[in-house]
Structures are given as C-alpha cells and as structure tokens.
Amino acid sequence: MRAVAFTAFGAAPEVTELPVPEPAPGEVLVQVRASSVNGFDLGVLGGFLKGVYEYEFPVVIGKDFAGVVAAVGEGVNEMAVGDEVFGVVMRPTLGQGGFAEYVAVPQGYGIARLPDGLDHARAGVLGLAGTAALNALDAVAPEAGESVLISGATGGVGALAIQLAASRGATVIATARPGAETEFVTGLGAAHAVDHADLAAGVRAVAPGGVHAALHLAGDGAAVADLLADGGRFASTVHFTPENAGERGLKATTVMADPNPATLALLAAEVVQGRLRVPVARVYPLEEARRAIADFTGGTLGKLAVSI
C-alpha cells in the first residue's frame, strides 16, 4: 500500500510502499479515503513524543481517518466489512497512521460509523480537531451570554470551537488578524475579532472586566489567562497552566482530546444537521502530503485535508 512514512528520527516523511497491516484481535482494518494534518503530526515528526510513545519505524503519520472497513480481526462484533467509518488513530504505539491506504484501529475507541450526509473529505478532518474543540469547550462550560476568548481561533480546532461556543449562546472573542482572518472567524459566529499583535487592548475594549472563559489553543498562554476575570475558567490544549490560577480563583484545565465513539457520533450529527461547518481550506493528494505539512506550519484558515 502507499503510505507517507519516515524511517528514523530526523528523517523526512516520504511516500513509500508498505505491507497492508493485518487487523489484530479486536481491531478493524480501514481502507482510508481521507485524513488531515494536525499539530500532533508535527510532534511525531520532530521526535518530541519520544518517551511518551514507542516509535515503530517506519512510522506512518496522520491521526485522522475516514474510509471503509475492509477486514475485521478476531472478536470484532461492533463493525462489519463495508461499514463507512471515521475517527482518530488511537494505537498504543506510533507506527500506523492515517496517511496510508489502510490502517488498523481498535473497534471500540477512536472510531464511529459515518452517518448519511457526511462525506469522507469532511469526516477525515473532523475527528481529532472536533474532539479537542468540544472537550476544551466542555471544560470551561460557557453559559448563554458569557464571554469566551479563543486564542488560536483560525486553526482547525479553533474554527470548530467558535461554532460550538456560539451555539451555546456565548459571546465569542476570537484571535484573528484584520482582513481574511477576521472575515473567517466572524463568518463562523465570533462576535468580535482581536488582533494577536495587541491582544490585551483588543479584548479589554469589548470585555473591560475580563472574559468569563478562555480557550488556549495557541499563542501566549499567560497573556490569555491574564485577560480572564478573577474566578474565570481556562482550558489549554497545549498543556499550559497559569501560575497564579490558585490566587485568582481560576479553574484551569489541560485538555487531552478523548475521541470516544459517543463524542465522534455527536460531532458527526452536528455536521449532518447543519449546526457545525467543517472548514476545509485545501485538499492535497497523498503524494503532496509533505507540502500539506509545510503549509500547516505556516498557519491555516481551518483544516488541511489529505485525500488517499
């Protein structure tokens, strides 16, 4: 099968031929149709997850997947050959990934059936970003009328978080440069766009007493936390915790995305019902995966998809 893999720490990912994996007991083999680039992939490529995961070279990158069940392992009773599925590759080691024609994944975690009305292209970018956005928002639990600052709003997680927060009636303040970025975030439901270059002034102009909640998806975590009102809620997907959280009465949470089947099914239903738009900025063929990764590092408006 074709796959995008790297063979050693420091090596560049390349399109290569690898054997089709065999599904182990409790696993399903998915013929992948779509995936996407995530920040996790940069961590894998950079070797930053050494000591956290075992690297089984050659390592195929890609956390997201959408496709069709091609085979099932022993004991699989929740999925069948021909099922349309999507999700997040949740294996105990780094080796198999979504940037491949096939991937074997557990049947009970990180996977859900694809509902009618959700195509592979959008499903292939939804799993990890959507789960992170929903988990982060649930951590700060905004109520209708409360203000939520989203730092890193133009990326894949941020674009979905804006919509999820706005749907709960929150007043969303999103980081975005003037121009295309501002149009992007306001088009998704942000009430205000504030430039990263002068974050404090921009936020204080619309929330003089500080915001009720903040999602730290990118940027300076301390600067974001400083804009919370005392007693506010803070959630970070990049594992930042404000040093003065205790003395200010902040509820601070570090978020690790939990793509359980129920969460994935909820996200898919929101898309199908038209309540959640999946902004795909560009689709790359598998052969251009390296370019997709390079473009991702430069910043995106929404998600970058990879078609297999």
Side-chain angles (χ1 to χ4, degrees):
M1 68 172 185
R2 293 178 306 141
V4 177
F6 64 108
T7 56
F9 294 116
E14 302 283 356
V15 178
T16 186
E17 285 288 332
L18 295 175
V20 175
E22 292 283 341
E27 292 184 344
V28 299
L29 180 69
V30 178
Q31 183 178 10
V32 183
R33 301 288 174 77
S35 185
S36 76
V37 186
N38 289 287
F40 185 89
D41 301 316
L42 303 185
V44 172
L45 282 168
F48 301 120
L49 300 180
K50 282 191 286 187
V52 180
Y53 293 93
E54 178 186 353
Y55 282 65
E56 296 180 336
F57 293 109
V59 172
V60 180
I61 58 177
K63 285 291 280 182
D64 287 318
F65 68 87
V68 183
V69 175
V72 299
E74 181 182 351
V76 170
N77 52 21
E78 297 178 19
M79 299 283 175
V81 173
D83 284 350
E84 303 269 348
V85 295
F86 80 106
V88 182
V89 179
M90 299 297 290
R91 299 183 59 82
T93 60
L94 297 174
Q96 296 189 50
F99 285 21
E101 291 182 306
Y102 292 91
V103 65
V105 295
Q107 71 160 338
Y109 184 59
I111 188 171
R113 286 183 175 83
L114 201 67
D116 292 340
L118 180 58
D119 55 86
H120 290 128
R122 289 181 297 162
V125 308
L126 178 62
L128 186 56
T131 299
L134 183 58
N135 291 167
L137 194 66
D138 285 344
V140 299
E143 297 181 358
E146 289 192 320
S147 54
V148 179
L149 170 62
I150 300 179
S151 178
T154 55
V157 179
L160 297 170
I162 289 170
Q163 299 173 72
L164 293 169
S167 71
R168 299 187 187 191
T171 299
V172 177
I173 305 168
T175 57
R177 297 184 181 91
E181 290 189 1
T182 290
E183 293 176 7
F184 178 73
V185 299
T186 55
L188 294 173
H192 307 280
V194 293
D195 196 339
H196 319 69
D198 200 358
L199 182 64
V203 174
R204 295 295 185 192
V206 295
V211 295
H212 297 98
L215 302 187
H216 173 230
L217 313 177
D220 185 339
V224 173
D226 284 346
L227 294 168
L228 280 165
D230 288 349
R233 290 99 66 195
F234 178 92
S236 175
T237 59
V238 292
H239 304 281
F240 174 83
T241 301
E243 292 183 357
N244 60 352
E247 62 189 75
R248 294 185 55 206
L250 303 180
K251 179 190 174 185
T253 307
T254 56
V255 176
M256 179 71 74
D258 176 18
N260 61 67
T263 294
L264 293 172
L266 185 155
L267 291 165
E270 290 293 293
V271 175
V272 170
Q273 295 298 321
R275 293 188 291 266
L276 184 64
R277 179 159 66 88
V278 183
V280 178
R282 184 171 177 180
V283 180
Y284 301 75
L286 188 66
E287 290 75 15
E288 294 183 15
R290 284 181 61 178
R291 182 176 180 183
I293 294 166
D295 289 349
F296 179 86
T297 62
T300 68
L301 294 180
K303 292 289 293 181
L304 300 182
V306 175
S307 177
I308 291 87

